[in-house]
């Protein structure tokens, strides 16, 4: 009797096993399938894509919002009453979530490229759902508490837009390999047409996108405005406690051209520097006056204020993660800081011949100086001996009276108005947050000889964009960083940029055509040879000639040849 021994050979596919195993827990060969993906799994693929896009925008938002992290932490402090860096857990969870979802997206693309059926494991579905709802909740929370910060996205795109375009173009070009493979494997013509139309629409959109990209940094270098002056916002609060004399001295060491401070009036009529309504965050009031720590700072007299330490909190909280960079002498100076008066700041500025801008907070209605706050402040200016031409006066209240008493003060508005309206009011300077002003408005202010100062500008990319826009000065918490920016981060002439993106489009188009020709070589060959009727299986088999490797695992069903006597 003769028994046959058919031989079945399987090639090890470690990479494929890892892809399908991690994505859908399909580690075994018999668990994998080349069948079409079910509608349910297609829906989950769309959810995964939506989550990835949302997380990408969320991640980009927090990356560019680095300029305003201190502002965000201050918002949190006003709500909770405790100072902490709230950006750390947000950045950690965002980075972890984006990495996880991006990894799943890569695995899904690998499935599509290899013709494998998509089947996301239920644990991953839970993870994707959690990432989606967490991100949506974060977006809603930011929109309600810090909605103005969304403006950082279009502003940052003026600096990153051209480079993001090149990155997106490279990604779309690389995806042509997967698209070409899908078109080759598709059996229905309508499916091939839909895929091609979608892909070509995206590709064409990226090719013409530079026509709609605007950036002030796309200009001829010869037209670049002078470098904007840097004003120390609360001094140099990243390396010294805010609104202290040492903070302003540190800012002056960094070659700032002006100093900015927040001013309140004490109960005995002394203007002093403080940003918050209370003294709790920036002094040791809970130790010296424990029963008054939540009291409005303006109800303290100057004698009581002088007893408070205004530097130890900086060493304890380390709000900008910079305490470790301080020398021993600097640490000692920080620890001994006290509350600074406006007159002290003005004398310091007068000595160094630098401009001073301060925001004056009117005392509460039951305050002894509620009606005399303007005169008290003007008195401090006059006693300091500083030239009036170095002081930027911001309060709108009693502005006409102030002009009569101190005509040489630089009248400054903190409210956005048209250049014509500012000139009618006799205002020659404007102090605004950086986000509500567009490039065209900056040009109008410059043409009207309105000195525009934007705050708070801490990042080199933002400083570069405003520089190219023609801003005359910026207020910064990081003068030690901006002093290292002698030129915009990037500056490119329009003709050079046009040549660059047209060349990128041509290269991308050539690569896409080459990939489609290479992927569909066998189909093209059969059509050109006059073979109008063919089977996809025949083409795939002719293209799938593989060389066996030494690592083959051989499974045998033994065929036994034996003869038995009859």
């Amino acid at each position: 009797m003769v028994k046959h021994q058919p031989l079945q050979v399987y090639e090890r596919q470690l990479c494929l096993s890892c892809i399908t195993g991690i994505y859908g827990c399909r580690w075994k060969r018999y668990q994998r399938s080349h069948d079409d993906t079910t509608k349910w799994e297609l829906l989950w693929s769309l959810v995964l894509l939506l989550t990835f896009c949302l997380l990408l925008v969320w991640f980009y938002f927090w990356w560019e919002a680095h300029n305003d992290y201190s502002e965000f932490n201050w918002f949190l402090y006003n709500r909770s009453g405790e100072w902490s860096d709230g950006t750390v857990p947000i950045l950690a969870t965002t980075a972890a979530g984006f990495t996880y979802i991006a990894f799943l997206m890569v695995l899904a693309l690998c499935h599509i490229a290899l013709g494998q059926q998509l089947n996301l494991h239920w644990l991953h579905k839970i993870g994707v759902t959690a990432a989606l709802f967490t991100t949506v909740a974060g977006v809603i929370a930011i929109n309600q508490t810090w909605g103005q910060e969304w403006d950082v996205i279009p502003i940052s795109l003026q600096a990153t837009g051209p480079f993001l375009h090149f990155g997106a173009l490279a990604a779309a070009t690389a995806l042509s390999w997967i698209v070409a493979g899908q078109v080759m494997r598709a059996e229905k013509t309508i499916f091939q047409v839909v895929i091609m139309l979608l892909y070509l629409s995206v590709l064409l959109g990226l090719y013409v996108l530079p026509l709609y990209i605007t950036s002030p940094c796309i200009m001829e270098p010869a037209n670049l405005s002078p470098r904007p002056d840097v004003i120390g916002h609360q001094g140099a609060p990243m390396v010294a406690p805010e609104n202290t004399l040492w903070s302003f001295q540190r800012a002056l060491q960094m070659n700032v051209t002006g100093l900015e401070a927040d001013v309140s009036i004490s109960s005995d009529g002394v203007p002093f520097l403080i940003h918050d309504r209370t003294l709790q965050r920036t002094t040791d009031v809970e130790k010296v006056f424990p029963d008054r720590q939540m009291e409005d700072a303006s109800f303290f007299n100057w004698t009581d204020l002088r007893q408070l330490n205004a530097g130890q909190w900086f060493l304890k909280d380390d709000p900008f993660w910079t305490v470790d960079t301080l020398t021993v002498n600097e640490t000692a100076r920080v620890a001994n800081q006290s509350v600074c008066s406006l007159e002290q700041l003005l004398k310091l500025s007068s000595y160094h011949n630098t401009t001073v801008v301060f925001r004056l907070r009117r005392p509460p209605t039951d305050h002894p100086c509620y009606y005399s706050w303007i005169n008290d402040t003007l008195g401090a200016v006059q006693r300091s001996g500083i030239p009036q031409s170095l002081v930027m006066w911001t309060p709108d209240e009693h502005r006409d009276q102030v002009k009569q008493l101190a005509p040489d003060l630089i009248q400054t508005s903190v409210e956005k108005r048209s250049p014509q309206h500012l000139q009618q009011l006799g205002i020659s300077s404007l102090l605004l947050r950086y986000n509500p002003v567009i490039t065209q408005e900056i040009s109008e202010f410059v043409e009207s000889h309105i000195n525009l100062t934007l705050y708070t500008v801490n990042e080199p990319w933002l400083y570069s964009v405003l520089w190219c826009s023609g801003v005359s000065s910026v207020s910064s918490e990081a003068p030690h960083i901006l002093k290292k920016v002698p030129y915009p981060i990037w500056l490119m002439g329009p003709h050079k940029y046009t040549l660059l993106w047209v060349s990128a489009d041509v290269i991308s188009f050539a690569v896409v055509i080459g990939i489609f020709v290479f992927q569909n070589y066998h189909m093209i060959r059969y059509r050109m040879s006059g073979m109008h009727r063919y089977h996809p299986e025949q083409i795939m088999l002719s293209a799938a000639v593989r060389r066996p490797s030494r690592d083959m695992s051989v499974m045998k069903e033994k065929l036994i040849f034996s003869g038995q006597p009859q």
Side-chain angles (χ1 to χ4, degrees):
M1 185 172 78
V2 178
K3 294 184 180 180
H4 298 278
Q5 291 184 347
L7 183 65
Q8 190 171 8
V9 178
Y10 290 99
E11 183 180 357
R12 285 182 179 175
Q13 297 176 316
L14 182 60
C15 183
L16 180 60
S17 297
C18 290
I19 291 172
T20 57
I22 296 174
Y23 187 83
C25 201
R26 293 184 170 187
W27 299 95
K28 303 297 183 181
R29 182 185 299 271
Y30 67 86
Q31 294 176 315
R32 298 193 287 267
S33 173
H34 290 277
D35 295 339
D36 293 337
T37 302
T38 63
K39 294 181 179 180
W40 175 249
E41 290 299 329
L42 285 176
L43 177 62
W44 272 106
S45 299
L46 292 177
V47 172
L48 177 61
L49 178 60
L50 173 63
T51 305
F52 173 77
C53 294
L54 186 60
L55 264 172
L56 182 62
V57 175
W58 182 247
F59 183 81
Y60 180 81
F61 166 78
W62 280 104
W63 183 269
E64 298 301 336
H66 186 270
N67 183 83
D68 303 313
Y69 281 177
S70 61
E71 182 181 272
F72 177 73
N73 290 331
W74 190 73
F75 286 157
L76 294 181
Y77 170 77
N78 283 339
R79 291 176 174 270
S80 65
E82 295 183 3
W83 180 266
S84 62
D85 193 344
T87 62
V88 173
I90 294 177
L91 292 174
T93 54
T94 300
F98 179 74
T99 302
Y100 170 65
I101 297 300
F103 181 61
L104 290 181
M105 278 294 300
V106 171
L107 292 178
L109 291 175
C110 290
H111 274 70
I112 296 173
L114 297 171
Q116 293 290 321
Q117 185 185 53
L118 291 169
N119 185 35
L120 188 64
H121 193 262
W122 64 270
L123 282 177
H124 289 318
K125 291 176 181 176
I126 294 176
V128 171
T129 304
L132 177 61
F133 281 100
T134 301
T135 307
V136 170
V139 170
I140 295 174
I142 290 297
N143 195 54
Q144 293 177 348
T145 60
W146 203 27
Q148 63 179 357
E149 190 62 19
W150 289 115
D151 293 335
V152 77
I153 293 181
I155 293 174
S156 67
L157 287 176
Q158 297 180 29
T160 62
F163 306 100
L164 292 178
H165 165 252
F166 290 135
L169 187 61
T173 304
L175 282 177
S176 64
W177 182 271
I178 296 177
V179 175
Q182 289 295 301
V183 171
M184 182 183 68
R185 286 191 292 266
E187 297 180 359
K188 297 181 179 179
T189 304
I190 185 64
F191 185 69
Q192 294 176 324
V193 172
V194 169
I195 291 178
M196 287 297 299
L197 286 178
L198 288 175
Y199 178 72
L200 292 178
S201 298
V202 172
L203 201 61
L204 181 62
L206 289 174
Y207 285 162
V208 301
L209 183 61
L211 296 175
Y212 303 96
I213 293 178
T214 58
S215 173
C217 294
I218 301 177
M219 62 181 298
E220 295 297 339
N223 298 329
L224 182 64
S225 303
R227 186 178 187 271
D229 294 333
V230 177
I231 296 175
H233 182 77
Q234 300 174 350
M238 289 191 178
V239 295
E242 64 186 56
N243 283 320
T244 61
L245 203 58
W246 175 239
S247 181
F248 295 113
Q249 290 172 344
R250 291 286 286 130
L252 291 170
Q253 293 173 6
M254 300 165 188
N255 300 323
V256 299
T257 58
L259 299 172
E260 181 185 354
D262 307 286
V263 179
S264 291
I265 309 294
S266 68
S267 61
D268 51 351
V270 178
F272 67 99
L273 311 185
I274 189 170
H275 178 268
D276 301 356
R277 186 185 64 84
T278 69
L279 297 160
Q280 185 182 25
R281 179 175 67 91
T282 57
T283 70
D284 59 348
V285 65
E286 73 281 355
K287 177 181 177 182
V288 181
F289 303 104
D291 55 336
R292 302 179 64 187
Q293 57 181 322
M294 298 306 297
E295 188 176 340
D296 193 302
S298 61
F299 283 103
F300 286 75
N301 61 46
W302 181 239
T303 302
D304 292 339
L305 291 170
R306 291 294 293 172
Q307 298 180 44
L308 301 176
N309 184 288
Q312 292 178 353
W313 73 272
F314 183 84
L315 300 176
K316 176 184 176 182
D317 295 340
D318 195 7
F320 295 97
W321 306 81
T322 56
V323 170
D324 291 339
T325 65
L326 302 180
T327 65
V328 176
N329 291 335
E330 290 173 344
T331 302
R333 291 287 297 271
V334 167
N336 291 324
Q337 291 302 299
S338 58
V339 177
C340 181
S341 69
L342 175 61
E343 188 173 340
Q344 289 175 305
L345 171 62
L346 294 174
K347 288 181 178 179
L348 178 67
S349 296
S350 177
Y351 179 79
H352 291 276
N353 196 36
T354 57
T355 304
V356 175
V357 54
F358 54 86
R359 300 165 186 252
L360 184 59
R361 185 171 70 93
R362 187 170 190 175
T365 55
D366 55 344
H367 192 277
C369 302
Y370 178 73
Y371 296 103
S372 63
W373 63 301
I374 294 292
N375 289 331
D376 293 335
T377 307
L378 283 176
V381 173
Q382 294 171 349
R383 288 191 302 271
S384 68
I386 187 173
Q388 294 182 7
S389 59
L390 293 179
V391 179
M392 298 173 65
W393 184 267
T394 60
D396 282 332
E397 293 85 351
H398 309 291
R399 192 180 287 276
D400 292 335
Q401 176 187 351
V402 172
K403 288 181 182 179
Q404 294 177 357
L405 297 175
D408 293 332
L409 292 177
I410 303 174
Q411 295 299 321
T412 304
S413 175
V414 293
E415 181 181 346
K416 184 179 179 182
R417 299 183 173 101
S418 66
Q420 296 77 15
H421 190 195
L422 291 173
Q423 290 173 345
Q424 291 175 359
L425 296 175
I427 296 175
S428 60
S429 186
L430 197 58
L431 177 66
L432 299 174
R433 196 177 190 272
Y434 67 85
N435 61 312
V437 185
I438 61 177
T439 304
Q440 182 179 356
E441 292 174 331
I442 293 174
S443 301
E444 293 175 357
F445 286 124
V446 172
E447 293 173 358
S448 302
H449 304 288
I450 301 295
N451 182 55
L452 178 62
T453 302
L454 300 182
Y455 68 90
T456 307
V457 179
N458 300 327
E459 292 295 308
W461 70 263
L462 181 56
Y463 183 67
S464 299
V465 169
L466 297 178
W467 185 348
C468 296
S469 300
V471 170
S472 55
S473 59
V474 300
S475 179
S476 174
E477 296 172 330
H480 62 294
I481 294 177
L482 297 189
K483 76 172 185 178
K484 301 176 182 177
V485 185
Y487 198 75
I489 292 179
W490 68 273
L491 189 65
M492 189 181 305
H495 297 293
K496 184 177 180 181
Y497 176 64
T498 301
L499 178 62
L500 195 60
W501 71 260
V502 169
S503 300
D505 287 353
V506 171
I507 294 173
S508 170
F509 184 74
V511 171
V512 170
I513 294 298
I515 289 176
F516 268 83
V517 170
F518 179 78
Q519 285 272 39
N520 296 273
Y521 167 74
H522 298 282
M523 185 180 295
I524 296 173
R525 188 184 68 177
Y526 274 91
R527 287 182 175 177
M528 293 183 64
S529 64
M531 183 177 179
H532 301 291
R533 300 185 64 183
Y534 60 90
H535 299 286
E537 293 83 357
Q538 181 180 0
I539 299 175
M540 292 296 293
L541 286 173
S542 65
V545 179
R546 295 177 180 172
R547 196 167 109 190
S549 66
R550 294 180 303 172
D551 296 329
M552 284 188 176
S553 175
V554 180
M555 250 179 40
K556 297 182 179 179
E557 290 180 13
K558 291 191 177 180
L559 301 177
I560 303 173
F561 292 85
S562 61
Q564 295 183 357
Q566 307 211 353

